[in-house]
Amino acid sequence: MTGAIRTHRSVVHAFRRGSWQPSLDTVALPGRSGLSLSLVPEAVAAADRRRYEPPAGCFPPAARRKLIDTALGLFDRGTVTVGGLGEQSAADFRTALWETAGVPAALTDRWCGLLREASPCPVEEPDGALALVSLPGNTFACLESVLAEAARSAAVWVRPSRREPLSAARLVAALLEAGWPPERLGFCPTERPALRTLIGLTDRQTVYGGAGLTAAVRASDRLHVRGPGRGCALVPPGMDPAEAVDWLLPLVAGDGGRFCSNVRTVVCVEEPTGLEGGPGPGPPGAESPRAAAALARRLAGALDALRTEPVDDRLPLAAFRVPGEAGQHARRLREGLGPGDRMLTRRPPAVRGAGGAEYALPALALLGPGAGPGHPLAGREVPFPFAAVLAASPAGAAAVARRSSFVHRPRGGAL
C-alpha cells in the first residue's frame, strides 16, 4: 500500500448546515489508524431539519451532470479536503481505507470504476425532496445511490456506515470541491437507533443493510430498502465442470465477496430419476448429487488457490480490522452445517495477515441430498466469498431462485 494517513487521532467531521463540524460524540474506526468519526445526535439532526429550507435558485440537470462527473474524477484520483482530516490525496484515501476497513487498493480502483459506470443521468426536472441515503459498510459502490439522489433531489443527507465512513466523507468532499452547493449536502453519521429518526425527518430514503437492519425498517413508497440479495447460480444439467468453475469463480469471489449480487448458492439442476433409475418424476430429493459433488470439489480448489497477501491479481480479497471478527464469521458458517453437509475448502477458516489484518478465507460447502432454500446456508450472506452447492430438480432450483434478487445463468444455458 502506498500513501500515508496525514494525521493520527484525527476525527472525521460531520457536514451540517453548509460546513464541516466536529461533535462531542465520536466513535473510533476499526484498525490501527487512530481515526475517529463524529456522530450527530438525534436532537441535533432534528434541529437541523427544523432550520432546513429548500435551497433557492436554479440547479439544472446539465449543471448537476457536469459537477458529478468532475466529483467522480476527484474522488478517484484527486486531492480533496475532508473535514477533520484536511487534504486527502488518492493515495491517502487508499491507505486509510485499507487500514480501517481492510479494502485493498485493487478493490478501491475497481469500485471507483463501477461508480463511474453507474453515474446517473439527471432527471429532466429535479424535485424538492430532502433525500436520505443510509450506506452499508461492505462496499462503497453503493455511493451510486448518493449520486442518484443528488441528481434528482433538492438536497441529500448521507448517513455513512460507522465501520467504513471514509468513502462517503470523501465523496461529499469531492462534490464540494467540484462546486456542488453546500446547502444541498449533508454528511450525517449517527448511532444505529437514530436511523428511524432520520427516516422520519426526510422526504425520501434509500437504506442499505443486512437482514437485521432492513427488518427494523418497513419499506414504503418513499423508503427503498436494499437488503440481502441471496445471489444464486443455476448450473444446467450436463455443463462441463471446468467451464462451470470458470464461470462461477468470479461470481462467488469477485469484489471480495462483499456484494449483495455475489453468488451464495450454486444449484446443480438435475433431471429427476424414477425408482428404477430411468427418467421419471421421482420423489423430492431423488436427484443424483454426483454432478454437484464433482463441481463443488473443483470450485473449492479454485477458491483455495486465491491469495490473501500479496493481493491476488485476479480476485482480490478484503481483510477484517476488528480483532477476531474473521474467525467469528467463519465459525458461524460451520455452525450452519447439517449432518449431511461438508465444508470442502481445505485451508484454515481464518488467518492473520500483515499489520493486524485478519482474513476469513473463501469457503464452500456441499449440502446434503434434499437441501433446499430453507437450509441455513442457502443464500447465507457473509462479507467474504462463500457459497453453498446443492443438487435440485428444476422445481427445487426455481424455489431457490424465487428467494434471490440476483439469479445468474450461463450464457447459452438451457435454464
Side-chain angles (χ1 to χ4, degrees):
M1 298 292 165
T2 59
I5 296 177
R6 300 180 66 86
T7 60
H8 290 280
R9 297 183 181 176
S10 297
V11 180
V12 182
H13 292 177
F15 190 82
R16 303 174 39 246
R17 301 177 63 190
S19 66
W20 293 101
Q21 299 186 30
S23 172
L24 295 177
D25 297 329
T26 64
V27 62
L29 298 189
R32 302 177 179 179
S33 67
L35 295 178
S36 296
L37 174 67
S38 294
L39 298 178
V40 177
E42 293 179 67
V44 172
D48 287 349
R49 182 63 170 102
R50 287 194 297 271
R51 296 186 182 98
Y52 170 81
E53 295 182 1
C58 179
F59 192 20
R64 297 184 188 217
R65 168 79 274 170
K66 182 177 180 180
L67 294 184
I68 286 174
D69 286 344
T70 300
L72 283 172
L74 289 168
F75 179 87
D76 185 3
R77 293 296 170 186
T79 295
V80 300
T81 300
V82 180
L85 299 185
E87 288 190 351
Q88 183 191 67
S89 69
D92 293 336
F93 172 55
R94 282 158 174 76
T95 296
L97 209 57
W98 166 246
E99 293 191 352
T100 60
V103 177
L107 280 182
T108 298
D109 292 344
R110 170 170 162 76
W111 294 348
C112 284
L114 292 178
L115 275 179
R116 283 186 174 279
E117 293 174 7
S119 180
C121 295
V123 296
E124 292 184 6
E125 191 61 39
D127 60 28
L130 171 60
L132 169 71
V133 180
S134 181
L135 293 163
N138 57 320
T139 171
F140 66 75
C142 297
L143 288 171
E144 66 179 277
S145 291
V146 175
L147 298 175
E149 288 298 346
R152 69 171 181 153
S153 308
V156 56
W157 285 3
V158 183
R159 178 183 179 268
S161 164
R162 287 173 43 182
R163 297 173 62 86
E164 196 288 276
L166 297 179
S167 57
R170 181 172 174 84
L171 181 63
V172 169
L175 286 166
L176 293 169
E177 189 82 19
W180 203 270
E183 66 273 14
R184 294 181 180 270
L185 287 173
F187 178 71
C188 193
T190 69
E191 297 279 8
R192 177 169 168 172
L195 175 58
R196 285 182 175 273
T197 297
L198 292 181
I199 290 173
L201 294 174
T202 50
D203 303 316
R204 182 171 56 234
Q205 307 85 24
T206 301
V207 175
Y208 291 87
L213 177 61
T214 55
V217 295
R218 184 169 297 175
S220 67
D221 291 341
R222 68 189 186 101
L223 171 59
H224 185 195
V225 178
R226 298 188 177 181
R230 300 188 182 92
C232 73
L234 306 182
V235 181
M239 185 175 186
D240 179 75
E243 292 181 4
V245 169
D246 288 343
W247 169 59
L248 289 168
L249 183 62
L251 295 177
V252 174
D255 297 296
R258 292 195 169 194
F259 278 20
C260 60
S261 56
N262 279 109
V263 164
R264 306 298 179 176
T265 312
V266 176
V267 185
C268 294
V269 184
E270 302 278 356
E271 292 296 340
T273 59
L275 296 179
E276 300 300 323
E287 304 81 19
S288 168
R290 288 194 298 271
L295 174 60
R297 285 192 293 271
R298 284 177 174 263
L299 185 54
L303 290 170
D304 276 335
L306 297 179
R307 291 196 313 268
T308 55
E309 298 174 1
V311 172
D312 197 292
D313 294 333
R314 300 167 298 159
L315 297 167
L317 300 176
F320 290 83
R321 289 298 185 177
V322 177
E325 187 177 19
Q328 290 175 6
H329 280 294
R331 284 193 298 274
R332 287 171 187 157
L333 277 184
R334 281 157 175 75
E335 290 169 358
L337 293 171
D341 308 328
R342 290 180 289 157
M343 195 69 74
L344 295 186
T345 37
R346 296 181 178 274
R347 290 188 290 182
V351 297
R352 290 185 178 274
E358 297 179 5
Y359 295 88
L361 294 181
L364 184 130
L366 175 63
L367 305 187
H375 191 286
L377 296 183
R380 179 74 168 269
E381 292 202 358
V382 290
F384 62 95
F386 166 73
V389 179
L390 59 91
S393 66
V400 174
R402 281 194 296 270
R403 298 181 72 242
S404 174
S405 299
F406 300 93
V407 181
H408 302 268
R409 297 175 173 85
R411 289 183 180 178
L415 297 173

